[in-house]
């Protein structure tokens, strides 16, 4: 019985999350428990618990799909700049040779996707690049905060295609080389510059599209 309950909760959670990530459920949309229960084919209880879980992850607020404002994104970027710069320094000091190769592979994958004109798919390689570095901070609280931020950015990027910005992959390669060369200060400095450029580009796209 417990297993069935947990399966229903997980099913509801994955159903809602998937539709948020693929853009079916847009920012600001209100989630109606009865309608979702009919769509998923479960009772309202697992729907309610799935919504609570997504609220804890910062993706839903007051049963509305979270739609970050420009100021929200600035706050998130400021947090990322501090934490990911620290993580980049740790990565330069501690990252294993195997992980460094994996880091390089994300850059190769991004370049291939760019040649194929699949800029939105670059997000996954971009996310993996940052996750590999974030994991090196070896601080579960920092990792949890940054994982939430990454998911919010994914939702946002679906509308604005912010991963199609100039020099993004080149900047990743510079960070990768600093980590490979065990240059802690340079790795942290490059990550800071990279995220500031990300932030400025994102705000520029917002202004251009009149999103906020």
């Amino acid at each position: 019985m417990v297993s069935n309950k947990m399966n229903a909760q997980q099913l509801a959670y994955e159903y809602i999350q998937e539709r948020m990530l693929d853009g079916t459920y847009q920012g600001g949309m209100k989630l109606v428990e009865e309608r979702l229960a009919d769509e998923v084919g479960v009772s309202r209880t697992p729907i309610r618990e799935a919504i609570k879980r997504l609220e804890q992850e910062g993706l839903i607020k007051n049963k509305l799909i979270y739609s970050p404002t420009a100021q929200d994104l600035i706050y998130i970027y400021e947090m990322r700049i501090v934490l990911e710069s620290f993580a980049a320094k740790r990565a330069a000091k501690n990252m294993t040779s195997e992980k460094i190769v994996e880091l390089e592979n994300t850059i190769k994958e991004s370049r291939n996707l760019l040649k194929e004109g699949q800029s939105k798919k670059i997000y996954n390689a971009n996310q993996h690049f940052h996750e590999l570095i974030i994991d090196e901070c070896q601080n579960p609280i920092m990792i949890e905060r940054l994982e939430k931020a990454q998911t919010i950015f994914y939702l946002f990027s679906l509308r604005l295609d912010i991963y199609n910005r100039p020099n993004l992959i080149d900047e990743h390669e510079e960070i990768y080389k600093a980590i490979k060369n065990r240059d802690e200060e340079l790795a942290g400095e490059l990550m800071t510059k990279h995220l500031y450029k990300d932030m400025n580009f994102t705000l520029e796209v917002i202004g251009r599209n009149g999103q906020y």
Side-chain angles (χ1 to χ4, degrees):
M1 188 75 172
V2 174
S3 177
N4 288 337
K5 181 181 178 182
M6 293 301 294
N7 287 340
Q9 290 175 15
Q10 185 64 24
L11 177 65
Y13 170 82
E14 291 176 358
Y15 180 91
I16 298 170
Q17 185 190 55
E18 182 180 342
R19 276 147 188 78
M20 291 170 67
L21 296 179
D22 69 15
T24 302
Y25 294 170
Q26 295 288 326
M29 174 183 165
K30 185 174 182 179
L31 297 178
V32 180
E33 291 179 8
E34 289 181 2
R35 187 183 304 159
L36 283 169
D38 289 339
E39 287 182 24
V40 182
V42 297
S43 69
R44 291 178 62 181
T45 299
I47 295 294
R48 193 175 301 120
E49 306 224 350
I51 290 173
K52 284 181 182 177
R53 182 174 167 186
L54 289 162
E55 284 177 340
Q56 291 171 350
E57 293 176 1
L59 299 179
I60 295 175
K61 290 188 177 182
N62 300 319
K63 294 189 178 179
L64 298 175
I65 304 294
Y66 178 50
S67 182
T69 65
Q71 187 60 59
D72 288 337
L73 291 169
I74 290 171
Y75 290 147
I76 295 170
Y77 264 116
E78 288 175 343
M79 178 192 72
R80 288 186 65 194
I81 287 164
V82 173
L83 299 185
E84 290 195 45
S85 297
F86 172 79
K89 291 180 181 180
R90 282 287 184 90
K93 182 179 181 181
N94 300 320
M95 186 174 273
T96 65
S97 299
E98 291 78 12
K99 290 292 183 182
I100 290 174
V101 170
E102 194 173 346
L103 199 65
E104 182 183 21
N105 287 338
T106 67
I107 298 167
K108 292 178 180 177
E109 182 183 354
S110 294
R111 291 201 186 283
N112 289 333
L113 288 168
L114 188 62
K115 287 178 183 176
E116 296 168 6
Q118 301 187 62
S119 60
K120 285 193 175 181
K121 290 187 178 179
I122 290 174
Y123 171 80
N124 293 322
N126 178 79
Q127 184 183 41
H128 191 38
F129 176 88
H130 283 272
E131 285 173 349
L132 286 167
I133 294 173
I134 289 166
D135 286 345
E136 294 301 322
C137 73
Q138 299 176 359
N139 182 316
I141 295 175
M142 289 170 65
I143 291 171
E144 181 186 2
R145 296 287 188 278
L146 288 166
E147 283 177 345
K148 288 182 180 180
Q150 290 278 24
T151 307
I152 290 170
F153 273 102
Y154 183 43
L155 288 172
F156 187 76
S157 71
L158 288 168
R159 296 203 300 275
L160 299 183
D161 195 13
I162 62 173
Y163 293 95
N164 189 23
R165 83 161 172 86
N167 304 317
L168 183 145
I169 302 172
D170 292 337
E171 291 164 22
H172 278 194
E173 187 158 14
E174 289 176 357
I175 295 168
Y176 150 74
K177 287 178 179 177
I179 291 172
K180 184 179 179 181
N181 293 331
R182 304 300 181 185
D183 191 331
E184 297 175 43
E185 292 305 314
L186 181 59
E189 180 184 330
L190 290 172
M191 180 62 80
T192 296
K193 290 179 179 178
H194 171 64
L195 291 174
Y196 266 117
K197 288 179 181 179
D198 260 4
M199 180 176 72
N200 291 332
F201 181 78
T202 300
L203 295 174
E204 180 185 330
V205 173
I206 290 172
R208 209 162 50 226
N209 287 272
Q211 293 290 316
Y212 299 103

